[in-house]
Amino acid sequence: MIPTKVRTQRIFGIALPIMGGMVSQSILNLVDAYFVGKLGSVALASVGLGSYAAFLAAALVLGLGSGVQATVARRKGEGDPSKFAVPLNSGLVLAIIIAAPLMAFFFLISTPLMQLLSSDPLVASASSDYFTARVPGILALGLNFSFRGYWNGINRSMVYMRTLIVMHISNAVLSYGFIFGAFGLPELGVYGAGLGTTLALFIASFLYFIQCYMQARPFGFLAKRPSTEALSTLFKLSFPASIQQFFFAAGLTALFWIVGQIGTPELSVVHVLITFVLFLILPSMGMGLGAASLVGQALGRGDKDDAYQWGKDVTVLAVIILTAISLPLVFFPDFALGLFLHEQHLIELGRVPLQLSALFIGVDAAGLVLMHTLLGAGDSKTVMKITITTQWLLFLPAAFIVGPVLGYGLFSVWVLQLLQRFLVALGLSYQWRRRQWAHIEL
């Protein structure tokens, strides 16, 4: 059932700025892939592998965004403005504490990690260069996700959108400059792509801090040092989401390793396919983040039925919108793939997987919205269990068997991935309908 006009307007009032920012992220990821694609399939595969390894390295700080947003939304629903930004203070401190050892660890293992993930020496070497440039960005991502959680939690998602847009424009300019030696910058190739992204992340951190310092101090930003209890509470809430992000990122990295065993051409195609999938699903992630705030605020008011209805309403809208957005890729896959893949046999390899992904995107939209609504309710443990189980116990072992072992190739691996995403959406939908999340106290 389609939501009422009033509820639809409220959903879009919160979600549209987030969606706009996330679409900007996806478009500029496509731009980066377009830039690197000009360097050849090895460079494209290297950046793809390095990107998902960087996601893996930063995953343990990404859950802070969900924890901060869920807690801030509850405080807003409870109606005490002086406490709105208090969870943000804890998030920033935890980001620094967690990121510091992670950066040191991944600096040390960069080269052997890439050699482990790729059997192609050229891909492993270039991936290590890119990954090393991305490692300092772990700190910036932890800070940025905490800031994002605050602004989304108080329904100021426009701050998030404009900061994200500036960040990604900076990323495109800096990455292009460092890849090709433009704008007076040194020509660094694949390493330059990673360096541009890292610098852009820190630009966003600086912008977030300035905006919070100017606008959020009356709401408790930097009012006092977070207590041990506050840090512990936020950590316990964020940790399952961080573990879920870690295993998801590790699963993507494992997927790249599995596809790399099939061949380097397949690896470059998978990087483009996943980039397209992110382009398709990011709007639904934006709607899910908006839903997380609406659910958290409703629970803060004590209205559990309203919280449940927000989850249903946003899910319906996300499925409709994402299905409509994906249709051009069903009918014009070669044109889309040809923007990044410049050899005909690579386009043919990616054609059907891209069409299937576009047709399947409605299921992805439902799963992503429900995942974020559960996180907004504080039920990060359920999300962790469902996503890790389906990815690591079902999809990855099956993908390895049908791909490298049995030799059925990229298509079979991609079909299994679609099946796994369907199971995730089904499991999250079941948990939402059970309403056990409505009894979680934050």
Side-chain angles (χ1 to χ4, degrees), residues 166-191:
V166 171
M167 182 186 82
H168 288 294
I169 291 174
S170 302
N171 179 36
V173 173
L174 291 170
S175 293
Y176 181 85
F178 282 120
I179 291 170
F180 301 110
F183 317 124
L185 298 173
E187 182 178 347
L188 301 175
V190 169
Y191 180 83

Side-chain angles (χ1 to χ4, degrees), residues 8-21:
T8 299
Q9 288 175 339
R10 187 169 180 200
I11 291 168
F12 283 125
I14 297 174
L16 276 177
I18 306 175
M19 292 168 63

Side-chain angles (χ1 to χ4, degrees), residues 3 9 26 111 130 380:
Q9 288 175 339
S26 186
T111 298
Y130 179 84
S380 52

Side-chain angles (χ1 to χ4, degrees), residues 243-258:
I243 291 298
Q244 181 262 326
Q245 290 277 9
F246 175 82
F247 276 96
F248 174 71
L252 280 180
T253 306
L255 173 61
F256 262 77
W257 178 82
I258 290 170

Side-chain angles (χ1 to χ4, degrees), residues 293-339:
S293 293
L294 292 168
V295 168
Q297 291 165 19
L299 291 174
R301 297 191 302 270
D303 193 341
K304 297 176 182 179
D305 290 337
D306 191 44
Y308 177 75
Q309 190 61 42
W310 281 124
K312 289 181 60 177
D313 289 348
V314 179
T315 299
V316 170
L317 289 176
V319 170
I320 294 172
I321 292 170
L322 268 295
T323 300
I325 290 174
S326 68
L327 289 178
L329 293 180
V330 176
F331 298 108
F332 308 106
D334 287 19
F335 173 78
L337 291 168
L339 295 173

